[in-house]
Amino acid sequence: MADKTLTRMDLADAVHSQVGLSRNDSADLVESVLTHVSDSLVSGQSVKISSFGTFSVREKAARIGRNPKTGEEVPIHPRRVLTFRPSHLMKDRVADGNKR
């Protein structure tokens, strides 16, 4: 596993160094993009980023679950869950990274 996690600040620094915007403008741009993606998902839209993948929201129906320790049946309420499906290019890129 990777030791480092990519953060909003890392993304803003990358925009700053590669695009040349000020640090504040870069942070605002990253925040704006993430807010737009988040708002789209909350409203039920899918978000497709070419060569990266697709974020979508799935509606899961109510069902009966079981407590594995006691065997007691427990109702699981309907809910919305976020899913991510990577593109084939992303899958290949990650797989190639494993060959090092």
Side-chain angles (χ1 to χ4, degrees):
M1 287 301 273
D3 295 333
K4 181 141 173 49
T5 300
L6 185 67
T7 64
R8 290 172 193 240
M9 186 54 73
D10 295 332
L11 293 172
D13 287 343
V15 170
H16 169 69
S17 64
Q18 294 180 12
V19 177
L21 293 175
S22 71
R23 289 195 187 277
N24 285 340
D25 288 345
S26 297
D28 290 344
L29 176 65
V30 168
E31 191 61 36
S32 174
V33 168
L34 293 176
T35 299
H36 192 68
V37 168
S38 176
D39 290 347
S40 295
L41 291 168
V42 167
S43 70
Q45 296 177 344
S46 291
V47 176
K48 183 174 184 173
I49 302 172
S50 181
S51 302
F52 187 76
T54 303
F55 295 90
S56 58
V57 178
R58 277 187 44 211
E59 303 283 340
K60 295 189 90 174
R63 62 188 175 92
I64 300 296
R66 192 174 302 276
N67 181 331
K69 191 171 187 177
T70 64
E72 176 186 359
E73 288 188 351
V74 179
I76 299 174
H77 302 289
R79 62 198 186 281
R80 296 171 64 186
V81 295
L82 178 64
T83 61
F84 174 72
R85 182 175 170 101
S87 71
H88 290 292
L89 292 172
M90 179 60 70
K91 286 181 183 180
D92 293 343
R93 189 169 179 194
V94 169
D96 290 344
N98 291 336
K99 294 178 183 175
R100 289 188 214 165

